[in-house]
Short mmCIF file of all heavy atoms in Angstrom, two decimals:
data_model
loop_
_atom_site.label_atom_id
_atom_site.label_comp_id
_atom_site.label_asym_id
_atom_site.label_seq_id
_atom_site.Cartn_x
_atom_site.Cartn_y
_atom_site.Cartn_z
N TYR V 262 -115.42 -233.61 68.50
CA TYR V 262 -114.19 -233.68 67.70
C TYR V 262 -113.70 -235.13 67.54
O TYR V 262 -113.54 -235.60 66.42
CB TYR V 262 -113.11 -232.77 68.29
CG TYR V 262 -111.86 -232.72 67.44
CD1 TYR V 262 -111.89 -232.14 66.17
CD2 TYR V 262 -110.68 -233.30 67.88
CE1 TYR V 262 -110.76 -232.10 65.38
CE2 TYR V 262 -109.54 -233.27 67.09
CZ TYR V 262 -109.58 -232.68 65.84
OH TYR V 262 -108.47 -232.66 65.05
N PRO V 263 -113.52 -235.87 68.65
CA PRO V 263 -113.10 -237.27 68.46
C PRO V 263 -114.16 -238.09 67.74
O PRO V 263 -113.85 -239.03 67.00
CB PRO V 263 -112.88 -237.80 69.88
CG PRO V 263 -113.51 -236.82 70.78
CD PRO V 263 -113.60 -235.53 70.07
N SER V 264 -115.42 -237.70 67.95
CA SER V 264 -116.51 -238.43 67.30
C SER V 264 -116.43 -238.27 65.78
O SER V 264 -116.66 -239.23 65.03
CB SER V 264 -117.84 -237.92 67.83
OG SER V 264 -118.86 -238.26 66.98
N PHE V 265 -116.09 -237.06 65.31
CA PHE V 265 -115.93 -236.83 63.87
C PHE V 265 -114.87 -237.78 63.30
O PHE V 265 -115.06 -238.39 62.25
CB PHE V 265 -115.49 -235.39 63.61
CG PHE V 265 -116.61 -234.37 63.69
CD1 PHE V 265 -116.33 -233.01 63.71
CD2 PHE V 265 -117.93 -234.76 63.75
CE1 PHE V 265 -117.34 -232.08 63.79
CE2 PHE V 265 -118.95 -233.83 63.83
CZ PHE V 265 -118.65 -232.49 63.85
N LEU V 266 -113.73 -237.88 64.01
CA LEU V 266 -112.63 -238.72 63.51
C LEU V 266 -113.01 -240.19 63.56
O LEU V 266 -112.73 -240.95 62.61
CB LEU V 266 -111.36 -238.47 64.34
CG LEU V 266 -110.82 -237.03 64.31
CD1 LEU V 266 -109.53 -236.92 65.09
CD2 LEU V 266 -110.59 -236.54 62.88
N ASP V 267 -113.66 -240.60 64.65
CA ASP V 267 -114.11 -242.00 64.76
C ASP V 267 -115.07 -242.34 63.64
O ASP V 267 -114.98 -243.40 63.01
CB ASP V 267 -114.82 -242.24 66.11
CG ASP V 267 -113.84 -242.20 67.27
OD1 ASP V 267 -112.62 -242.14 67.00
OD2 ASP V 267 -114.30 -242.20 68.43
N ASN V 268 -116.01 -241.40 63.42
CA ASN V 268 -117.02 -241.64 62.37
C ASN V 268 -116.37 -241.77 61.00
O ASN V 268 -116.78 -242.58 60.18
CB ASN V 268 -118.04 -240.51 62.34
CG ASN V 268 -118.98 -240.58 63.54
OD1 ASN V 268 -119.00 -241.58 64.25
ND2 ASN V 268 -119.72 -239.53 63.77
N ALA V 269 -115.33 -240.95 60.77
CA ALA V 269 -114.64 -241.00 59.48
C ALA V 269 -114.06 -242.40 59.26
O ALA V 269 -114.13 -242.95 58.16
CB ALA V 269 -113.53 -239.97 59.45
N ALA V 270 -113.52 -242.99 60.32
CA ALA V 270 -112.93 -244.34 60.21
C ALA V 270 -114.02 -245.39 60.04
O ALA V 270 -113.94 -246.26 59.17
CB ALA V 270 -112.08 -244.62 61.43
N VAL V 271 -115.07 -245.28 60.88
CA VAL V 271 -116.13 -246.29 60.87
C VAL V 271 -116.89 -246.29 59.54
O VAL V 271 -117.22 -247.33 58.99
CB VAL V 271 -117.10 -246.04 62.06
CG1 VAL V 271 -118.35 -246.91 61.93
CG2 VAL V 271 -116.40 -246.33 63.37
N TYR V 272 -117.13 -245.09 59.02
CA TYR V 272 -117.92 -245.00 57.78
C TYR V 272 -117.07 -245.24 56.52
O TYR V 272 -117.59 -245.17 55.41
CB TYR V 272 -118.62 -243.63 57.69
CG TYR V 272 -119.89 -243.60 58.51
CD1 TYR V 272 -119.89 -243.16 59.82
CD2 TYR V 272 -121.09 -244.04 57.98
CE1 TYR V 272 -121.05 -243.13 60.59
CE2 TYR V 272 -122.26 -244.04 58.72
CZ TYR V 272 -122.24 -243.59 60.02
OH TYR V 272 -123.39 -243.59 60.76
N SER V 273 -115.77 -245.43 56.69
CA SER V 273 -114.92 -245.72 55.53
C SER V 273 -114.20 -247.04 55.74
O SER V 273 -113.01 -247.09 56.05
CB SER V 273 -113.87 -244.61 55.35
OG SER V 273 -114.49 -243.40 55.13
N PRO V 274 -114.91 -248.15 55.57
CA PRO V 274 -114.25 -249.45 55.78
C PRO V 274 -113.18 -249.72 54.73
O PRO V 274 -112.28 -250.52 54.96
CB PRO V 274 -115.40 -250.46 55.70
CG PRO V 274 -116.48 -249.76 54.96
CD PRO V 274 -116.33 -248.31 55.23
N TYR V 275 -113.27 -249.08 53.56
CA TYR V 275 -112.25 -249.24 52.52
C TYR V 275 -111.52 -247.93 52.31
O TYR V 275 -112.03 -246.86 52.65
CB TYR V 275 -112.90 -249.73 51.21
CG TYR V 275 -113.43 -251.14 51.38
CD1 TYR V 275 -114.74 -251.35 51.78
CD2 TYR V 275 -112.59 -252.23 51.21
CE1 TYR V 275 -115.21 -252.63 52.00
CE2 TYR V 275 -113.07 -253.52 51.43
CZ TYR V 275 -114.37 -253.73 51.82
OH TYR V 275 -114.82 -254.98 52.05
N ASP V 276 -110.31 -248.04 51.74
CA ASP V 276 -109.48 -246.84 51.62
C ASP V 276 -109.81 -246.02 50.38
O ASP V 276 -109.53 -244.83 50.32
CB ASP V 276 -107.99 -247.23 51.60
CG ASP V 276 -107.61 -247.92 52.91
OD1 ASP V 276 -108.29 -247.66 53.92
OD2 ASP V 276 -106.67 -248.74 52.91
N MET V 277 -110.39 -246.65 49.38
CA MET V 277 -110.80 -245.91 48.19
C MET V 277 -111.97 -246.63 47.53
O MET V 277 -111.99 -247.86 47.49
CB MET V 277 -109.62 -245.79 47.22
CG MET V 277 -109.89 -244.86 46.05
SD MET V 277 -108.41 -244.55 45.07
CE MET V 277 -108.49 -245.87 43.88
N LEU V 278 -112.90 -245.87 47.02
CA LEU V 278 -114.06 -246.45 46.33
C LEU V 278 -114.51 -245.51 45.22
O LEU V 278 -114.59 -244.30 45.44
CB LEU V 278 -115.19 -246.69 47.32
CG LEU V 278 -116.51 -247.25 46.80
CD1 LEU V 278 -117.19 -248.10 47.88
CD2 LEU V 278 -117.49 -246.20 46.31
N TYR V 279 -114.76 -246.07 44.06
CA TYR V 279 -115.45 -245.29 43.02
C TYR V 279 -116.38 -246.22 42.26
O TYR V 279 -116.17 -247.43 42.24
CB TYR V 279 -114.45 -244.57 42.10
CG TYR V 279 -113.63 -245.48 41.22
CD1 TYR V 279 -114.08 -245.86 39.95
CD2 TYR V 279 -112.38 -245.94 41.64
CE1 TYR V 279 -113.34 -246.69 39.14
CE2 TYR V 279 -111.63 -246.77 40.84
CZ TYR V 279 -112.11 -247.15 39.61
OH TYR V 279 -111.38 -247.99 38.80
N THR V 280 -117.38 -245.66 41.67
CA THR V 280 -118.30 -246.51 40.91
C THR V 280 -118.19 -246.15 39.44
O THR V 280 -117.97 -244.99 39.08
CB THR V 280 -119.76 -246.31 41.36
OG1 THR V 280 -120.12 -244.97 41.13
CG2 THR V 280 -119.95 -246.65 42.82
N GLU V 281 -118.35 -247.16 38.62
CA GLU V 281 -118.29 -246.89 37.19
C GLU V 281 -119.60 -247.26 36.52
O GLU V 281 -120.32 -248.17 36.95
CB GLU V 281 -117.11 -247.61 36.55
CG GLU V 281 -117.13 -249.12 36.70
CD GLU V 281 -116.00 -249.78 35.94
OE1 GLU V 281 -114.90 -249.86 36.52
OE2 GLU V 281 -116.22 -250.21 34.79
N ILE V 282 -119.90 -246.51 35.52
CA ILE V 282 -121.12 -246.71 34.75
C ILE V 282 -120.76 -246.32 33.32
O ILE V 282 -119.74 -245.65 33.12
CB ILE V 282 -122.25 -245.83 35.34
CG1 ILE V 282 -123.59 -246.14 34.69
CG2 ILE V 282 -121.96 -244.36 35.26
CD1 ILE V 282 -124.76 -245.48 35.40
N ASN V 283 -121.59 -246.73 32.39
CA ASN V 283 -121.26 -246.41 30.99
C ASN V 283 -120.89 -244.95 30.80
O ASN V 283 -121.67 -244.07 31.12
CB ASN V 283 -122.46 -246.73 30.10
CG ASN V 283 -122.49 -248.22 29.80
OD1 ASN V 283 -121.48 -248.91 30.01
ND2 ASN V 283 -123.64 -248.71 29.37
N GLY V 284 -119.69 -244.69 30.36
CA GLY V 284 -119.27 -243.31 30.06
C GLY V 284 -118.68 -242.56 31.21
O GLY V 284 -118.11 -241.49 31.05
N VAL V 285 -118.80 -243.08 32.40
CA VAL V 285 -118.24 -242.40 33.57
C VAL V 285 -117.36 -243.37 34.35
O VAL V 285 -117.75 -244.51 34.58
CB VAL V 285 -119.37 -241.87 34.51
CG1 VAL V 285 -118.76 -241.16 35.71
CG2 VAL V 285 -120.31 -240.96 33.76
N ASN V 286 -116.19 -242.86 34.74
CA ASN V 286 -115.25 -243.64 35.55
C ASN V 286 -114.81 -244.97 34.93
O ASN V 286 -114.45 -245.91 35.64
CB ASN V 286 -115.82 -243.90 36.96
CG ASN V 286 -115.77 -242.66 37.82
OD1 ASN V 286 -115.16 -241.66 37.44
ND2 ASN V 286 -116.41 -242.71 38.96
N GLN V 287 -114.88 -245.03 33.60
CA GLN V 287 -114.33 -246.23 32.94
C GLN V 287 -112.81 -246.10 33.03
O GLN V 287 -112.26 -245.04 32.74
CB GLN V 287 -114.75 -246.25 31.46
CG GLN V 287 -116.26 -246.24 31.24
CD GLN V 287 -116.88 -247.61 31.47
OE1 GLN V 287 -116.21 -248.64 31.30
NE2 GLN V 287 -118.13 -247.65 31.87
N ALA V 288 -112.16 -247.15 33.48
CA ALA V 288 -110.72 -247.01 33.69
C ALA V 288 -109.99 -248.30 33.39
O ALA V 288 -110.57 -249.38 33.39
CB ALA V 288 -110.46 -246.60 35.12
N GLU V 289 -108.68 -248.13 33.12
CA GLU V 289 -107.83 -249.31 32.98
C GLU V 289 -107.25 -249.60 34.35
O GLU V 289 -106.63 -248.71 34.95
CB GLU V 289 -106.70 -249.03 31.99
CG GLU V 289 -107.18 -248.85 30.55
CD GLU V 289 -106.09 -248.19 29.72
OE1 GLU V 289 -104.89 -248.48 29.94
OE2 GLU V 289 -106.44 -247.38 28.86
#
Side-chain angles (χ1 to χ4, degrees):
Chain V
Y262 184 67
S264 161
F265 281 169
L266 299 183
D267 290 352
N268 288 348
V271 170
Y272 279 93
S273 300
Y275 293 92
D276 298 334
M277 189 171 89
L278 178 149
Y279 68 89
T280 61
E281 59 175 86
I282 188 170
N283 279 344
V285 180
N286 285 351
Q287 302 282 333
E289 292 164 36

